[in-house]
Amino acid sequence: MAKTETGKKKATILTGVSEVDERLGGGIPLGSLCLIEGHSDAGKSVLCQHLTHGTLTQGGISVAYYTTENNVRSLISQMESLSMNVLDYFLADHLRIFPLTFRNATMQGGTKPFFVLTHHFTHLPQDFKLIIVDSMTLLVAHSNPVAIIDFFSKCKSLCDQGRTIIVVAHSYAFEEDMLSRTRSLCDARFKLRLEQVGDAMIKLMEVLKVRGAERPTGDVVSFNIEPKIGMKIIPLAKARV
């Protein structure tokens, strides 16, 4: 946590990876609506897992993790394989994991599932100040524009009350105009992509916006994902040699 001018600690959401947190300008300020977008296999979920683990280990902030990618057991096991041990936090009810399934027949343009999600958010205990939704791709792709904007607007209202909500989606799920309008509602935005360097593929994260960051943000983080490590930062100049 960072200190403000009055000497009080300013709550932030951190990954626990110092090079990444430095690029985030010292962390995502509590109360931010954040969009993580990008390619498949570009590290979006692992970034969310680092944000979860980094926040839990700070203490004082609990995490609600909504996932279409895992069930409870597989998410905890996957994080453990990357040396992010969260089982004790789960057992102590500081981490709640909610598997999500979106079916085409029940999406109804997104109105009902979006309502169910935001209703669920509002009924979480107050100490669950970090909410992650990984991912919204399928729901966004089958929803009408009004439902999408309404969802992000309601999330923004919850963030104004002190929660941080991180929404993950593939960029292609949004129409261009909708993506632009959605981005404008967000306080923080990151875009992940894959880039071929020589014979290898590396992952790149662009830090496009972190409103209210205590320090200037960086631009690009290059990394790979390795067992027992998670995000391993690769200096971009070195990667391109």
Side-chain angles (χ1 to χ4, degrees), residues 116-150:
V116 170
L117 272 175
T118 53
H119 181 75
H120 202 274
F121 296 167
T122 60
H123 285 78
L124 289 167
Q126 285 301 311
D127 58 322
F128 282 80
K129 294 186 181 298
L130 175 58
I131 298 170
I132 294 176
V133 188
D134 179 24
S135 86
M136 301 290 294
T137 298
L138 185 61
L139 181 55
V140 167
H142 289 83
S143 298
N144 65 63
V146 173
I148 296 170
I149 290 297
D150 187 53

PDB file of all heavy atoms in Angstrom, residues 116-150:
ATOM      1  N   VAL A 116     -27.975 -10.429 -12.893  1.00  0.00           N
ATOM      2  CA  VAL A 116     -27.641 -11.409 -11.858  1.00  0.00           C
ATOM      3  C   VAL A 116     -26.242 -11.149 -11.305  1.00  0.00           C
ATOM      4  O   VAL A 116     -26.003 -11.206 -10.091  1.00  0.00           O
ATOM      5  CB  VAL A 116     -27.754 -12.847 -12.412  1.00  0.00           C
ATOM      6  CG1 VAL A 116     -27.185 -13.863 -11.422  1.00  0.00           C
ATOM      7  CG2 VAL A 116     -29.214 -13.179 -12.723  1.00  0.00           C
ATOM      8  N   LEU A 117     -25.296 -10.851 -12.189  1.00  0.00           N
ATOM      9  CA  LEU A 117     -23.928 -10.584 -11.757  1.00  0.00           C
ATOM     10  C   LEU A 117     -23.844  -9.351 -10.853  1.00  0.00           C
ATOM     11  O   LEU A 117     -23.274  -9.405  -9.755  1.00  0.00           O
ATOM     12  CB  LEU A 117     -23.016 -10.384 -12.971  1.00  0.00           C
ATOM     13  CG  LEU A 117     -22.361 -11.632 -13.567  1.00  0.00           C
ATOM     14  CD1 LEU A 117     -21.594 -11.260 -14.825  1.00  0.00           C
ATOM     15  CD2 LEU A 117     -21.433 -12.302 -12.572  1.00  0.00           C
ATOM     16  N   THR A 118     -24.392  -8.229 -11.310  1.00  0.00           N
ATOM     17  CA  THR A 118     -24.290  -7.008 -10.508  1.00  0.00           C
ATOM     18  C   THR A 118     -25.062  -7.141  -9.203  1.00  0.00           C
ATOM     19  O   THR A 118     -24.641  -6.612  -8.170  1.00  0.00           O
ATOM     20  CB  THR A 118     -24.788  -5.782 -11.296  1.00  0.00           C
ATOM     21  OG1 THR A 118     -26.109  -6.032 -11.813  1.00  0.00           O
ATOM     22  CG2 THR A 118     -23.854  -5.475 -12.456  1.00  0.00           C
ATOM     23  N   HIS A 119     -26.181  -7.857  -9.222  1.00  0.00           N
ATOM     24  CA  HIS A 119     -26.933  -8.113  -7.982  1.00  0.00           C
ATOM     25  C   HIS A 119     -26.072  -8.914  -7.010  1.00  0.00           C
ATOM     26  O   HIS A 119     -26.052  -8.629  -5.802  1.00  0.00           O
ATOM     27  CB  HIS A 119     -28.220  -8.878  -8.309  1.00  0.00           C
ATOM     28  CG  HIS A 119     -29.078  -9.162  -7.119  1.00  0.00           C
ATOM     29  ND1 HIS A 119     -29.841  -8.195  -6.510  1.00  0.00           N
ATOM     30  CD2 HIS A 119     -29.278 -10.313  -6.411  1.00  0.00           C
ATOM     31  CE1 HIS A 119     -30.486  -8.729  -5.481  1.00  0.00           C
ATOM     32  NE2 HIS A 119     -30.157 -10.002  -5.398  1.00  0.00           N
ATOM     33  N   HIS A 120     -25.354  -9.903  -7.547  1.00  0.00           N
ATOM     34  CA  HIS A 120     -24.478 -10.726  -6.710  1.00  0.00           C
ATOM     35  C   HIS A 120     -23.348  -9.879  -6.131  1.00  0.00           C
ATOM     36  O   HIS A 120     -22.983 -10.021  -4.954  1.00  0.00           O
ATOM     37  CB  HIS A 120     -23.928 -11.886  -7.529  1.00  0.00           C
ATOM     38  CG  HIS A 120     -23.462 -13.050  -6.708  1.00  0.00           C
ATOM     39  ND1 HIS A 120     -22.189 -13.120  -6.175  1.00  0.00           N
ATOM     40  CD2 HIS A 120     -24.099 -14.180  -6.315  1.00  0.00           C
ATOM     41  CE1 HIS A 120     -22.067 -14.253  -5.502  1.00  0.00           C
ATOM     42  NE2 HIS A 120     -23.199 -14.907  -5.567  1.00  0.00           N
ATOM     43  N   PHE A 121     -22.778  -9.001  -6.954  1.00  0.00           N
ATOM     44  CA  PHE A 121     -21.699  -8.119  -6.480  1.00  0.00           C
ATOM     45  C   PHE A 121     -22.156  -7.307  -5.263  1.00  0.00           C
ATOM     46  O   PHE A 121     -21.422  -7.174  -4.279  1.00  0.00           O
ATOM     47  CB  PHE A 121     -21.271  -7.122  -7.567  1.00  0.00           C
ATOM     48  CG  PHE A 121     -20.655  -7.725  -8.802  1.00  0.00           C
ATOM     49  CD1 PHE A 121     -20.474  -6.942  -9.948  1.00  0.00           C
ATOM     50  CD2 PHE A 121     -20.255  -9.052  -8.844  1.00  0.00           C
ATOM     51  CE1 PHE A 121     -19.904  -7.476 -11.088  1.00  0.00           C
ATOM     52  CE2 PHE A 121     -19.685  -9.598  -9.995  1.00  0.00           C
ATOM     53  CZ  PHE A 121     -19.512  -8.800 -11.112  1.00  0.00           C
ATOM     54  N   THR A 122     -23.355  -6.748  -5.356  1.00  0.00           N
ATOM     55  CA  THR A 122     -23.830  -5.841  -4.306  1.00  0.00           C
ATOM     56  C   THR A 122     -24.071  -6.562  -2.991  1.00  0.00           C
ATOM     57  O   THR A 122     -24.085  -5.921  -1.934  1.00  0.00           O
ATOM     58  CB  THR A 122     -25.125  -5.120  -4.729  1.00  0.00           C
ATOM     59  OG1 THR A 122     -26.149  -6.097  -4.979  1.00  0.00           O
ATOM     60  CG2 THR A 122     -24.896  -4.289  -5.986  1.00  0.00           C
ATOM     61  N   HIS A 123     -24.263  -7.880  -3.035  1.00  0.00           N
ATOM     62  CA  HIS A 123     -24.562  -8.632  -1.825  1.00  0.00           C
ATOM     63  C   HIS A 123     -23.333  -9.320  -1.230  1.00  0.00           C
ATOM     64  O   HIS A 123     -23.458 -10.079  -0.270  1.00  0.00           O
ATOM     65  CB  HIS A 123     -25.676  -9.655  -2.091  1.00  0.00           C
ATOM     66  CG  HIS A 123     -27.038  -9.016  -2.200  1.00  0.00           C
ATOM     67  ND1 HIS A 123     -27.447  -8.359  -3.337  1.00  0.00           N
ATOM     68  CD2 HIS A 123     -28.048  -8.903  -1.295  1.00  0.00           C
ATOM     69  CE1 HIS A 123     -28.674  -7.886  -3.142  1.00  0.00           C
ATOM     70  NE2 HIS A 123     -29.045  -8.191  -1.922  1.00  0.00           N
ATOM     71  N   LEU A 124     -22.160  -9.043  -1.789  1.00  0.00           N
ATOM     72  CA  LEU A 124     -20.939  -9.546  -1.175  1.00  0.00           C
ATOM     73  C   LEU A 124     -20.665  -8.772   0.120  1.00  0.00           C
ATOM     74  O   LEU A 124     -20.999  -7.594   0.221  1.00  0.00           O
ATOM     75  CB  LEU A 124     -19.758  -9.364  -2.130  1.00  0.00           C
ATOM     76  CG  LEU A 124     -19.710 -10.251  -3.375  1.00  0.00           C
ATOM     77  CD1 LEU A 124     -18.665  -9.720  -4.360  1.00  0.00           C
ATOM     78  CD2 LEU A 124     -19.398 -11.703  -3.000  1.00  0.00           C
ATOM     79  N   PRO A 125     -20.039  -9.407   1.108  1.00  0.00           N
ATOM     80  CA  PRO A 125     -19.645  -8.665   2.315  1.00  0.00           C
ATOM     81  C   PRO A 125     -18.731  -7.498   1.961  1.00  0.00           C
ATOM     82  O   PRO A 125     -18.015  -7.522   0.959  1.00  0.00           O
ATOM     83  CB  PRO A 125     -18.899  -9.724   3.144  1.00  0.00           C
ATOM     84  CG  PRO A 125     -19.455 -11.031   2.673  1.00  0.00           C
ATOM     85  CD  PRO A 125     -19.729 -10.848   1.210  1.00  0.00           C
ATOM     86  N   GLN A 126     -18.743  -6.470   2.797  1.00  0.00           N
ATOM     87  CA  GLN A 126     -18.028  -5.235   2.498  1.00  0.00           C
ATOM     88  C   GLN A 126     -16.525  -5.420   2.344  1.00  0.00           C
ATOM     89  O   GLN A 126     -15.864  -4.650   1.648  1.00  0.00           O
ATOM     90  CB  GLN A 126     -18.317  -4.196   3.585  1.00  0.00           C
ATOM     91  CG  GLN A 126     -19.694  -3.578   3.476  1.00  0.00           C
ATOM     92  CD  GLN A 126     -19.922  -2.870   2.146  1.00  0.00           C
ATOM     93  OE1 GLN A 126     -19.099  -2.071   1.705  1.00  0.00           O
ATOM     94  NE2 GLN A 126     -21.030  -3.185   1.493  1.00  0.00           N
ATOM     95  N   ASP A 127     -15.950  -6.426   3.025  1.00  0.00           N
ATOM     96  CA  ASP A 127     -14.502  -6.591   2.926  1.00  0.00           C
ATOM     97  C   ASP A 127     -14.068  -7.196   1.593  1.00  0.00           C
ATOM     98  O   ASP A 127     -12.879  -7.224   1.283  1.00  0.00           O
ATOM     99  CB  ASP A 127     -13.962  -7.426   4.094  1.00  0.00           C
ATOM    100  CG  ASP A 127     -14.603  -8.792   4.186  1.00  0.00           C
ATOM    101  OD1 ASP A 127     -15.819  -8.889   3.934  1.00  0.00           O
ATOM    102  OD2 ASP A 127     -13.905  -9.770   4.518  1.00  0.00           O
ATOM    103  N   PHE A 128     -15.030  -7.661   0.773  1.00  0.00           N
ATOM    104  CA  PHE A 128     -14.698  -8.162  -0.568  1.00  0.00           C
ATOM    105  C   PHE A 128     -14.643  -6.968  -1.515  1.00  0.00           C
ATOM    106  O   PHE A 128     -15.582  -6.663  -2.235  1.00  0.00           O
ATOM    107  CB  PHE A 128     -15.718  -9.208  -1.024  1.00  0.00           C
ATOM    108  CG  PHE A 128     -15.501 -10.551  -0.401  1.00  0.00           C
ATOM    109  CD1 PHE A 128     -15.949 -10.805   0.886  1.00  0.00           C
ATOM    110  CD2 PHE A 128     -14.815 -11.547  -1.079  1.00  0.00           C
ATOM    111  CE1 PHE A 128     -15.732 -12.033   1.483  1.00  0.00           C
ATOM    112  CE2 PHE A 128     -14.596 -12.793  -0.489  1.00  0.00           C
ATOM    113  CZ  PHE A 128     -15.049 -13.028   0.803  1.00  0.00           C
ATOM    114  N   LYS A 129     -13.504  -6.300  -1.474  1.00  0.00           N
ATOM    115  CA  LYS A 129     -13.348  -5.050  -2.224  1.00  0.00           C
ATOM    116  C   LYS A 129     -12.714  -5.244  -3.590  1.00  0.00           C
ATOM    117  O   LYS A 129     -12.624  -4.296  -4.369  1.00  0.00           O
ATOM    118  CB  LYS A 129     -12.528  -4.049  -1.406  1.00  0.00           C
ATOM    119  CG  LYS A 129     -13.226  -3.589  -0.136  1.00  0.00           C
ATOM    120  CD  LYS A 129     -12.458  -2.490   0.558  1.00  0.00           C
ATOM    121  CE  LYS A 129     -13.155  -2.054   1.840  1.00  0.00           C
ATOM    122  NZ  LYS A 129     -14.497  -1.509   1.592  1.00  0.00           N
ATOM    123  N   LEU A 130     -12.243  -6.466  -3.891  1.00  0.00           N
ATOM    124  CA  LEU A 130     -11.747  -6.766  -5.233  1.00  0.00           C
ATOM    125  C   LEU A 130     -12.628  -7.835  -5.848  1.00  0.00           C
ATOM    126  O   LEU A 130     -12.789  -8.925  -5.289  1.00  0.00           O
ATOM    127  CB  LEU A 130     -10.295  -7.242  -5.204  1.00  0.00           C
ATOM    128  CG  LEU A 130      -9.721  -7.689  -6.564  1.00  0.00           C
ATOM    129  CD1 LEU A 130      -9.795  -6.570  -7.604  1.00  0.00           C
ATOM    130  CD2 LEU A 130      -8.284  -8.184  -6.417  1.00  0.00           C
ATOM    131  N   ILE A 131     -13.204  -7.504  -7.005  1.00  0.00           N
ATOM    132  CA  ILE A 131     -14.059  -8.421  -7.755  1.00  0.00           C
ATOM    133  C   ILE A 131     -13.429  -8.606  -9.133  1.00  0.00           C
ATOM    134  O   ILE A 131     -13.143  -7.629  -9.836  1.00  0.00           O
ATOM    135  CB  ILE A 131     -15.481  -7.860  -7.900  1.00  0.00           C
ATOM    136  CG1 ILE A 131     -16.138  -7.685  -6.525  1.00  0.00           C
ATOM    137  CG2 ILE A 131     -16.340  -8.762  -8.798  1.00  0.00           C
ATOM    138  CD1 ILE A 131     -17.451  -6.908  -6.562  1.00  0.00           C
ATOM    139  N   ILE A 132     -13.198  -9.865  -9.508  1.00  0.00           N
ATOM    140  CA  ILE A 132     -12.616 -10.179 -10.814  1.00  0.00           C
ATOM    141  C   ILE A 132     -13.599 -11.049 -11.594  1.00  0.00           C
ATOM    142  O   ILE A 132     -14.139 -12.034 -11.051  1.00  0.00           O
ATOM    143  CB  ILE A 132     -11.270 -10.908 -10.654  1.00  0.00           C
ATOM    144  CG1 ILE A 132     -10.234  -9.969 -10.010  1.00  0.00           C
ATOM    145  CG2 ILE A 132     -10.752 -11.415 -12.009  1.00  0.00           C
ATOM    146  CD1 ILE A 132      -8.899 -10.626  -9.712  1.00  0.00           C
ATOM    147  N   VAL A 133     -13.834 -10.701 -12.850  1.00  0.00           N
ATOM    148  CA  VAL A 133     -14.684 -11.514 -13.732  1.00  0.00           C
ATOM    149  C   VAL A 133     -13.839 -11.941 -14.920  1.00  0.00           C
ATOM    150  O   VAL A 133     -13.516 -11.138 -15.797  1.00  0.00           O
ATOM    151  CB  VAL A 133     -15.921 -10.745 -14.213  1.00  0.00           C
ATOM    152  CG1 VAL A 133     -16.861 -11.695 -14.968  1.00  0.00           C
ATOM    153  CG2 VAL A 133     -16.667 -10.102 -13.044  1.00  0.00           C
ATOM    154  N   ASP A 134     -13.482 -13.223 -14.958  1.00  0.00           N
ATOM    155  CA  ASP A 134     -12.600 -13.783 -15.985  1.00  0.00           C
ATOM    156  C   ASP A 134     -13.276 -15.017 -16.605  1.00  0.00           C
ATOM    157  O   ASP A 134     -13.219 -16.088 -16.057  1.00  0.00           O
ATOM    158  CB  ASP A 134     -11.264 -14.175 -15.340  1.00  0.00           C
ATOM    159  CG  ASP A 134     -10.290 -14.787 -16.328  1.00  0.00           C
ATOM    160  OD1 ASP A 134     -10.419 -14.520 -17.538  1.00  0.00           O
ATOM    161  OD2 ASP A 134      -9.405 -15.547 -15.887  1.00  0.00           O
ATOM    162  N   SER A 135     -13.915 -14.890 -17.751  1.00  0.00           N
ATOM    163  CA  SER A 135     -13.958 -13.684 -18.557  1.00  0.00           C
ATOM    164  C   SER A 135     -15.393 -13.440 -19.020  1.00  0.00           C
ATOM    165  O   SER A 135     -16.250 -14.317 -18.925  1.00  0.00           O
ATOM    166  CB  SER A 135     -13.015 -13.826 -19.753  1.00  0.00           C
ATOM    167  OG  SER A 135     -13.625 -14.450 -20.835  1.00  0.00           O
ATOM    168  N   MET A 136     -15.611 -12.244 -19.606  1.00  0.00           N
ATOM    169  CA  MET A 136     -16.926 -11.842 -20.087  1.00  0.00           C
ATOM    170  C   MET A 136     -17.063 -12.023 -21.598  1.00  0.00           C
ATOM    171  O   MET A 136     -18.056 -11.594 -22.173  1.00  0.00           O
ATOM    172  CB  MET A 136     -17.149 -10.361 -19.757  1.00  0.00           C
ATOM    173  CG  MET A 136     -17.075 -10.018 -18.286  1.00  0.00           C
ATOM    174  SD  MET A 136     -18.465 -10.679 -17.357  1.00  0.00           S
ATOM    175  CE  MET A 136     -19.808  -9.740 -18.064  1.00  0.00           C
ATOM    176  N   THR A 137     -16.091 -12.636 -22.236  1.00  0.00           N
ATOM    177  CA  THR A 137     -16.053 -12.673 -23.700  1.00  0.00           C
ATOM    178  C   THR A 137     -17.341 -13.205 -24.318  1.00  0.00           C
ATOM    179  O   THR A 137     -17.952 -12.551 -25.179  1.00  0.00           O
ATOM    180  CB  THR A 137     -14.855 -13.517 -24.184  1.00  0.00           C
ATOM    181  OG1 THR A 137     -13.650 -12.918 -23.728  1.00  0.00           O
ATOM    182  CG2 THR A 137     -14.841 -13.600 -25.704  1.00  0.00           C
ATOM    183  N   LEU A 138     -17.783 -14.388 -23.915  1.00  0.00           N
ATOM    184  CA  LEU A 138     -18.957 -15.002 -24.525  1.00  0.00           C
ATOM    185  C   LEU A 138     -20.204 -14.173 -24.264  1.00  0.00           C
ATOM    186  O   LEU A 138     -21.030 -13.972 -25.168  1.00  0.00           O
ATOM    187  CB  LEU A 138     -19.143 -16.428 -23.983  1.00  0.00           C
ATOM    188  CG  LEU A 138     -20.274 -17.252 -24.619  1.00  0.00           C
ATOM    189  CD1 LEU A 138     -20.027 -17.424 -26.116  1.00  0.00           C
ATOM    190  CD2 LEU A 138     -20.384 -18.614 -23.940  1.00  0.00           C
ATOM    191  N   LEU A 139     -20.350 -13.684 -23.043  1.00  0.00           N
ATOM    192  CA  LEU A 139     -21.537 -12.893 -22.709  1.00  0.00           C
ATOM    193  C   LEU A 139     -21.564 -11.585 -23.489  1.00  0.00           C
ATOM    194  O   LEU A 139     -22.598 -11.209 -24.042  1.00  0.00           O
ATOM    195  CB  LEU A 139     -21.571 -12.623 -21.204  1.00  0.00           C
ATOM    196  CG  LEU A 139     -22.764 -11.816 -20.685  1.00  0.00           C
ATOM    197  CD1 LEU A 139     -24.086 -12.461 -21.092  1.00  0.00           C
ATOM    198  CD2 LEU A 139     -22.691 -11.668 -19.173  1.00  0.00           C
ATOM    199  N   VAL A 140     -20.437 -10.890 -23.550  1.00  0.00           N
ATOM    200  CA  VAL A 140     -20.381  -9.628 -24.281  1.00  0.00           C
ATOM    201  C   VAL A 140     -20.692  -9.848 -25.757  1.00  0.00           C
ATOM    202  O   VAL A 140     -21.425  -9.072 -26.383  1.00  0.00           O
ATOM    203  CB  VAL A 140     -19.003  -8.962 -24.110  1.00  0.00           C
ATOM    204  CG1 VAL A 140     -18.804  -7.817 -25.107  1.00  0.00           C
ATOM    205  CG2 VAL A 140     -18.842  -8.443 -22.686  1.00  0.00           C
ATOM    206  N   ALA A 141     -20.146 -10.926 -26.329  1.00  0.00           N
ATOM    207  CA  ALA A 141     -20.333 -11.189 -27.757  1.00  0.00           C
ATOM    208  C   ALA A 141     -21.794 -11.464 -28.117  1.00  0.00           C
ATOM    209  O   ALA A 141     -22.190 -11.265 -29.273  1.00  0.00           O
ATOM    210  CB  ALA A 141     -19.471 -12.378 -28.183  1.00  0.00           C
ATOM    211  N   HIS A 142     -22.602 -11.901 -27.140  1.00  0.00           N
ATOM    212  CA  HIS A 142     -24.008 -12.229 -27.410  1.00  0.00           C
ATOM    213  C   HIS A 142     -24.973 -11.247 -26.770  1.00  0.00           C
ATOM    214  O   HIS A 142     -26.170 -11.527 -26.647  1.00  0.00           O
ATOM    215  CB  HIS A 142     -24.314 -13.642 -26.911  1.00  0.00           C
ATOM    216  CG  HIS A 142     -23.675 -14.722 -27.728  1.00  0.00           C
ATOM    217  ND1 HIS A 142     -22.370 -15.125 -27.536  1.00  0.00           N
ATOM    218  CD2 HIS A 142     -24.149 -15.477 -28.757  1.00  0.00           C
ATOM    219  CE1 HIS A 142     -22.079 -16.086 -28.394  1.00  0.00           C
ATOM    220  NE2 HIS A 142     -23.121 -16.315 -29.148  1.00  0.00           N
ATOM    221  N   SER A 143     -24.472 -10.088 -26.354  1.00  0.00           N
ATOM    222  CA  SER A 143     -25.313  -9.116 -25.664  1.00  0.00           C
ATOM    223  C   SER A 143     -25.541  -7.877 -26.522  1.00  0.00           C
ATOM    224  O   SER A 143     -24.727  -7.534 -27.376  1.00  0.00           O
ATOM    225  CB  SER A 143     -24.667  -8.698 -24.336  1.00  0.00           C
ATOM    226  OG  SER A 143     -24.535  -9.808 -23.473  1.00  0.00           O
ATOM    227  N   ASN A 144     -26.654  -7.204 -26.253  1.00  0.00           N
ATOM    228  CA  ASN A 144     -26.916  -5.975 -26.994  1.00  0.00           C
ATOM    229  C   ASN A 144     -26.158  -4.809 -26.361  1.00  0.00           C
ATOM    230  O   ASN A 144     -25.804  -4.850 -25.177  1.00  0.00           O
ATOM    231  CB  ASN A 144     -28.424  -5.694 -27.074  1.00  0.00           C
ATOM    232  CG  ASN A 144     -29.033  -5.425 -25.709  1.00  0.00           C
ATOM    233  OD1 ASN A 144     -28.685  -4.451 -25.049  1.00  0.00           O
ATOM    234  ND2 ASN A 144     -29.963  -6.277 -25.291  1.00  0.00           N
ATOM    235  N   PRO A 145     -25.894  -3.765 -27.133  1.00  0.00           N
ATOM    236  CA  PRO A 145     -25.072  -2.658 -26.642  1.00  0.00           C
ATOM    237  C   PRO A 145     -25.613  -1.997 -25.376  1.00  0.00           C
ATOM    238  O   PRO A 145     -24.835  -1.600 -24.503  1.00  0.00           O
ATOM    239  CB  PRO A 145     -25.067  -1.676 -27.826  1.00  0.00           C
ATOM    240  CG  PRO A 145     -25.291  -2.537 -29.023  1.00  0.00           C
ATOM    241  CD  PRO A 145     -26.222  -3.612 -28.569  1.00  0.00           C
ATOM    242  N   VAL A 146     -26.933  -1.858 -25.272  1.00  0.00           N
ATOM    243  CA  VAL A 146     -27.516  -1.206 -24.100  1.00  0.00           C
ATOM    244  C   VAL A 146     -27.208  -1.997 -22.839  1.00  0.00           C
ATOM    245  O   VAL A 146     -26.847  -1.429 -21.800  1.00  0.00           O
ATOM    246  CB  VAL A 146     -29.037  -1.035 -24.269  1.00  0.00           C
ATOM    247  CG1 VAL A 146     -29.666  -0.520 -22.976  1.00  0.00           C
ATOM    248  CG2 VAL A 146     -29.355  -0.094 -25.419  1.00  0.00           C
ATOM    249  N   ALA A 147     -27.307  -3.329 -22.921  1.00  0.00           N
ATOM    250  CA  ALA A 147     -27.040  -4.178 -21.755  1.00  0.00           C
ATOM    251  C   ALA A 147     -25.573  -4.089 -21.337  1.00  0.00           C
ATOM    252  O   ALA A 147     -25.265  -4.079 -20.135  1.00  0.00           O
ATOM    253  CB  ALA A 147     -27.415  -5.624 -22.066  1.00  0.00           C
ATOM    254  N   ILE A 148     -24.668  -4.017 -22.311  1.00  0.00           N
ATOM    255  CA  ILE A 148     -23.234  -3.946 -21.999  1.00  0.00           C
ATOM    256  C   ILE A 148     -22.901  -2.631 -21.300  1.00  0.00           C
ATOM    257  O   ILE A 148     -22.235  -2.620 -20.251  1.00  0.00           O
ATOM    258  CB  ILE A 148     -22.398  -4.091 -23.286  1.00  0.00           C
ATOM    259  CG1 ILE A 148     -22.601  -5.475 -23.906  1.00  0.00           C
ATOM    260  CG2 ILE A 148     -20.905  -3.877 -22.989  1.00  0.00           C
ATOM    261  CD1 ILE A 148     -22.014  -5.614 -25.304  1.00  0.00           C
ATOM    262  N   ILE A 149     -23.368  -1.521 -21.860  1.00  0.00           N
ATOM    263  CA  ILE A 149     -23.088  -0.215 -21.262  1.00  0.00           C
ATOM    264  C   ILE A 149     -23.733  -0.113 -19.883  1.00  0.00           C
ATOM    265  O   ILE A 149     -23.137   0.431 -18.937  1.00  0.00           O
ATOM    266  CB  ILE A 149     -23.582   0.920 -22.172  1.00  0.00           C
ATOM    267  CG1 ILE A 149     -22.700   0.989 -23.432  1.00  0.00           C
ATOM    268  CG2 ILE A 149     -23.555   2.254 -21.446  1.00  0.00           C
ATOM    269  CD1 ILE A 149     -21.249   1.319 -23.156  1.00  0.00           C
ATOM    270  N   ASP A 150     -24.951  -0.647 -19.742  1.00  0.00           N
ATOM    271  CA  ASP A 150     -25.622  -0.615 -18.442  1.00  0.00           C
ATOM    272  C   ASP A 150     -24.828  -1.394 -17.399  1.00  0.00           C
ATOM    273  O   ASP A 150     -24.683  -0.955 -16.250  1.00  0.00           O
ATOM    274  CB  ASP A 150     -27.039  -1.192 -18.582  1.00  0.00           C
ATOM    275  CG  ASP A 150     -27.846  -1.027 -17.309  1.00  0.00           C
ATOM    276  OD1 ASP A 150     -27.939   0.104 -16.802  1.00  0.00           O
ATOM    277  OD2 ASP A 150     -28.385  -2.033 -16.805  1.00  0.00           O
TER     278      ASP A 150
END
